[in-house]
Amino acid sequence: MADSVQFLISGLTIGSIYAIVALGFVTIYSVTKVINLAQGEFVMLGGMIMFSLLKLGIPYLIAFLTTIAMVIMIGWLLERTIVRKAKGADALSLIILTIGAAIFIRGIASMIWGKDSVKVASFASNEPVSVMGATITPQSIWVMVFMLVIVAGLFLLIEKTMLGKAFRACSVNPLAARLMAVSPKKMSSFSFALSAGLGALAGLVIAPIIFPAYDMGVMLGIKGFSATILGGLGSAPGAVLGGLLLGVIESLGAGFISSGMKDAIAFGFVLMLLLIRPYGLLGEKNVGKGGL
Amino acid sequence: MPDLLEVKNVTKKFGGVVANQGVSFSFESEKVIGLIGPNGAGKSTLFNMVSAIFPPTEGEIWFAGKRIDRLPAFKVSPLGIARTFQNLQVFKRMTVLENVMVGLHTSTSSGILSAAFKLPKAKKEEETIYQQAWEEIEFVGLEDVAAVEAGNLPLGKLRLLELARALATRPKLLLLDEIAAGLNHQETAGMSDLIFKVRDRGVSIFVVEHDMDLVMRVSDRIIVLDQGEKIAEGTSKEVQNDPRVIEAYLGNDEEKEEGTV
Amino acid sequence: MKRKGIQQMSWKGLAAFTVLILILPFLLSTSLMITKATFAGIYTIVAVGLGLLMGFAGQISLGQAAFYGVGAYSTAILTATFGISPWLSLLIAITAPALIAYILGHTMARLHGYYLAMATLAFGIVIHVLLVEWKGFTKGASGFYGIPKLELFGFTFTQGISYYYLVWAFALLVIILSLNIIHSRIGRALRSIHDSEVASSSMGVDTGRYKMQVFIISAMFAGIAGWLFAHMSYSISPGSFGLDGSILFLTMVVLGGSTSVWGAVFGALLITAISSFVQALGSKISFITSDFEHVLYGLILMLVVIFLPQGLFPAIAAKLKPFLEFTGRKKKSGSITAVKGDQRA
Ligand SMILES: Nc1ncnc2c1ncn2[C@@H]1O[C@H](COP(=O)(O)OP(=O)(O)O)[C@@H](O)[C@H]1O
Ligand SMILES: [Mg+2]
């Protein structure tokens, strides 16, 4: 029992991260129809830049905010310099483009930070608390809280602000949006910046738990992508659900079966689900009209 | 003997837009049937459903005694339905001849392995459909451009190519969606001669056309759609004198090209 | 018979390439270079399959290295552990990936582009984990040792010239089979899907089915390559079959271009050459590491998509065309003038 609770909690923790990464995918996809496979690299940059800033002796909060700002800049630059140049390319090419960007960023990161894992301090105290026989670190509570705050914040941003209206207009019909004086180009930059920010946040909250390294973005990116597809491509609630589910399954698999097999179990589950429910949990038919 | 095509109470909605509303009609073999109506009346939508590109929201479509409205598109071609597209859908990066050979796809059956190893069966089939494709190309008069990539051809030739490609599937029913749109007088006249020649091959033709002279001349019977509903059906005379038809056309005399599918 | 109006296979191009492959070993000075050239052949086999999938079925696989791994490990286990003849295990090394592709392909037959990307990515990771964890069979992360050499009529293929020719014989076979496919009714069907899927299906082309078949073929090719790799290497380890491998194959196809079979071949050769060059450089300059190679691949992917979406080969082929008709397009000059006349009219 205590074991199950423990696994569930660690599953929800990592699942929250997947959910945030998945929301980043959805943010970009809904406006630009691009699947940005460099999303995981934003997470990595969040963790690694924070590490460097802290090492320079910059106070935690300032380092935290600076990291977010820097990663947002990088996301924005990625859109401006690379993605925009390939507008009009088909879905296949766009995927390849973002894979290229991912490898490039990762390669640069390994030149800057080397291949070793680094340590980033927790937000606050690191005394584990005990709940129903399971121990929880405060950081994992932070992770879940951040996920909820991000979900609420995104909801408010998209549903309640003018910016959100423009955002939605672009995702539904770029032509109509242009007629309403919303620039799809600006929205495209904005979506990359926003999702880079989300990635950075994910990296920041998880850094104290996982010892970040230059290649942490690979798996987190892929898991986030899986969560996106699992939930139904383009659906934000689906992304959150997909992320949490993936985290829990992975954690239960690692706990009860074998920790070495956890990724195989998680992805095996994704594959099964795609075979049974091809459009994902909350997805509509006909989304993701990519390569066909 | 069942009717060749039977459309039963078909409705199609795209979100809030009702493109077809309770349309019913049927016809037998060996006829040229015209389908007319102002722009946006729902003619192309009806064609798309008959060729199974998408299913109707309600209603049924039967072809030669078989229900076809739930079939995937590739399954209706072998039954004997072929079509051309209002907004040309030629295979741009393939030659004219290869375009027509795709029309002969279902009359061949060799699989990917016999293709890879060039087994005798695959070779023989290639030979046969190559000849047959040439016949269709000669039928529409595209011999001189047979080896040209379709993307390089002018509109008039592309309309002929779509016709040849559709004929290559050996259809019982041929759907022509504004096959004369954008053609000059001479080309239009050539096209109407071709339609007669196709009819003489024993193919039934269902034709959407804005050129009234052309439709009136080739059609045995005409169905009129307006705002998704069938408002009249009869000989060209009957239809021309129908007050509802006149009204539908009066409010709508400017016809524009419009993309569909 | 020569048929006017069909894009036919260019025997001249194939012959020229074959000659090049035959004489290449005599131009290479070291045995290391021969080994690299052998690897180029193995990669060519995978890349040609992936090129068919991307260029003709319009799908992307991010797990091609896993099929390659399934081929390699199935023959390794069958021959070294169970003592089966390598020529018999070749069948398994081909059919096992095919079977997996068939199952995975169901996510594609009904679905759109991104899902196969996802499915193959997930599959690649599952396979990699299994190779590492299923130690009873695969011997885990440290690798599988003791794979027997190939023998034919008493002749043993050892690493070196003989293996080079063996690999390239397979590679040429794969190239010819692929050229045959794209110049067949199925190739035409696939090319037609690219231009108009709607028209294609109203001509009776079952688009899902052909995409599936090409996916299976690409997996089979990767399986053959894996088999060749295993029997060349004596030992194999999971590291060769992970995501990096899949991305390497992807880079080859993107760089060369997937609109023709030769594009993938060219990409495989070029990337192997670049990689050998960078590694040679790396042994002299400490700054150049394997990271550098990755940065380079990332750059290549981005630049090619932006500036040369068709890949490098078509651009080069256009220049070469007067000398060799590589792309196999035979247009009668007479008919081209005829069209030009038409457009003026
Ligand atoms: N794929 C589609 N999605 C949404 N609306 C469509 C689609 N196809 C047609 N429509 C709408 O249905 C109506 C009928 O269109 P259509 O069948 O093309 O008319 P016609 O061919 O008679 O000119 C129009 O209002 C058109 O905008
Ligand atoms: Mg129309």
Side-chain angles (χ1 to χ4, degrees), chain B residues 39-40 42-45 86 177-178 208 210 258-260:
Chain B
N39 235 325
K43 305 177 296 292
S44 296
T45 304
Q86 176 180 357
D177 195 352
E178 305 204 17
V208 167
H210 276 311
E258 180 194 310
T260 40

Side-chain angles (χ1 to χ4, degrees), chain A residues 19 227 230-231 236-247 281-282:
Chain A
L230 194 60
V240 175
L241 186 67
L244 293 176
L245 194 61
L246 198 63
L281 294 171
L282 305 182

Side-chain angles (χ1 to χ4, degrees), chain C residues 101-299:
Chain C
Y102 175 76
I103 296 167
L104 281 180
H106 279 105
T107 60
M108 158 179 87
R110 283 173 294 170
L111 292 169
H112 293 297
Y114 296 121
Y115 291 80
L116 191 70
M118 174 69 245
T120 49
L121 195 56
F123 158 71
I125 290 166
V126 171
I127 289 294
H128 189 257
V129 170
L130 288 180
L131 292 182
V132 173
E133 294 295 322
W134 203 4
K135 298 192 181 74
F137 276 108
T138 66
K139 316 234 168 95
S142 57
F144 190 103
Y145 291 86
I147 305 163
K149 292 269 165 262
L150 292 175
E151 277 180 34
L152 195 62
F153 308 123
F155 179 80
T156 310
F157 291 92
T158 48
Q159 222 177 80
I161 301 235
S162 67
Y163 214 87
Y164 167 91
Y165 283 120
L166 178 75
V167 162
W168 275 103
F170 272 96
L172 284 169
L173 180 68
V174 159
I175 291 171
I176 292 171
L177 295 181
S178 305
L179 287 170
N180 283 345
I181 289 172
I182 67 168
H183 293 110
S184 74
R185 71 187 277 270
I186 292 174
R188 277 193 303 271
L190 286 166
R191 281 190 284 151
S192 75
I193 298 171
H194 244 254
D195 281 343
S196 166
E197 187 151 1
V198 176
S200 195
S201 55
S202 10
M203 298 297 125
V205 175
D206 181 353
T207 51
R209 176 191 161 105
Y210 293 123
K211 288 180 185 181
M212 171 75 105
Q213 290 188 351
V214 173
F215 185 42
I216 292 174
I217 291 274
S218 79
M220 288 170 133
F221 287 174
I224 295 175
W227 178 83
L228 284 165
F229 174 54
H231 292 288
M232 170 179 176
S233 309
Y234 180 72
S235 80
I236 52 177
S237 66
S240 316
F241 311 110
L243 185 59
D244 280 350
S246 294
I247 286 176
L248 186 71
F249 294 132
L250 182 73
T251 312
M252 292 172 180
V253 174
V254 170
L255 179 61
S258 58
T259 51
S260 75
V261 172
W262 292 111
V265 177
F266 184 69
L269 294 176
L270 200 59
I271 289 287
T272 314
I274 291 176
S275 151
S276 310
F277 181 69
V278 170
Q279 279 163 20
L281 222 58
S283 60
K284 299 201 181 73
I285 308 166
S286 65
F287 163 76
I288 293 175
T289 57
S290 64
D291 301 333
F292 183 83
E293 218 176 312
H294 282 123
V295 173
L296 198 64
Y297 294 154
L299 267 180

